[in-house]
């Protein structure tokens, strides 16, 4: 039997939104002195087809805040609008 804590490591926490952001990945995690946690990653946008060689921008660098529900990280759906800046 597995515990809820071990199941967290089996969950995907970063995914595209299926409309404007595709294929997010290669994420890095950063915890700031303020205690805020952020995930940096790259993804395709919706220009042309969201795949290598077809999108003029290529993959773009993105960042979103990581928020927790107790011991479980909330799933990150990439934002496409301006967000509050990280608190250092």
């Amino acid at each position: 039997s597995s515990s809820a804590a071990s199941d967290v490591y089996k969950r995907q926490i970063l995914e595209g939104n299926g409309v404007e952001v595709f294929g997010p990945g290669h994420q890095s995690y950063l915890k700031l002195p303020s205690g805020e946690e952020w995930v940096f990653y790259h993804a395709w946008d919706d220009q042309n087809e969201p795949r290598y060689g077809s999108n003029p921008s290529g993959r773009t660098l993105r960042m979103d805040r990581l928020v927790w529900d107790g011991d479980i990280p909330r799933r990150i759906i990439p934002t496409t609008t301006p967000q509050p800046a990280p608190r250092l």
Side-chain angles (χ1 to χ4, degrees), residues 11-80:
R11 284 187 51 218
Q12 176 179 330
I13 66 164
L14 181 61
E15 65 180 54
N17 66 14
V19 178
E20 300 168 299
V21 181
F22 301 87
H26 294 111
Q27 64 272 9
S28 294
Y29 164 87
L30 179 65
K31 185 170 186 176
L32 299 173
S34 67
E36 286 185 355
E37 298 172 84
W38 290 81
V39 175
F40 294 80
Y41 57 95
H42 63 210
W44 302 103
D45 64 22
D46 61 351
Q47 293 183 33
N48 293 331
E49 293 182 48
R51 60 185 171 85
Y52 179 76
S54 175
N55 189 310
S57 302
R59 285 185 176 164
T60 55
L61 178 64
R62 298 155 185 270
M63 61 186 263
D64 281 295
R65 188 164 177 199
L66 179 62
V67 178
W68 295 81
D69 288 323
D71 294 332
I72 299 173
R74 286 188 195 164
R75 181 160 289 161
I76 296 172
I77 305 297
T79 55
T80 57

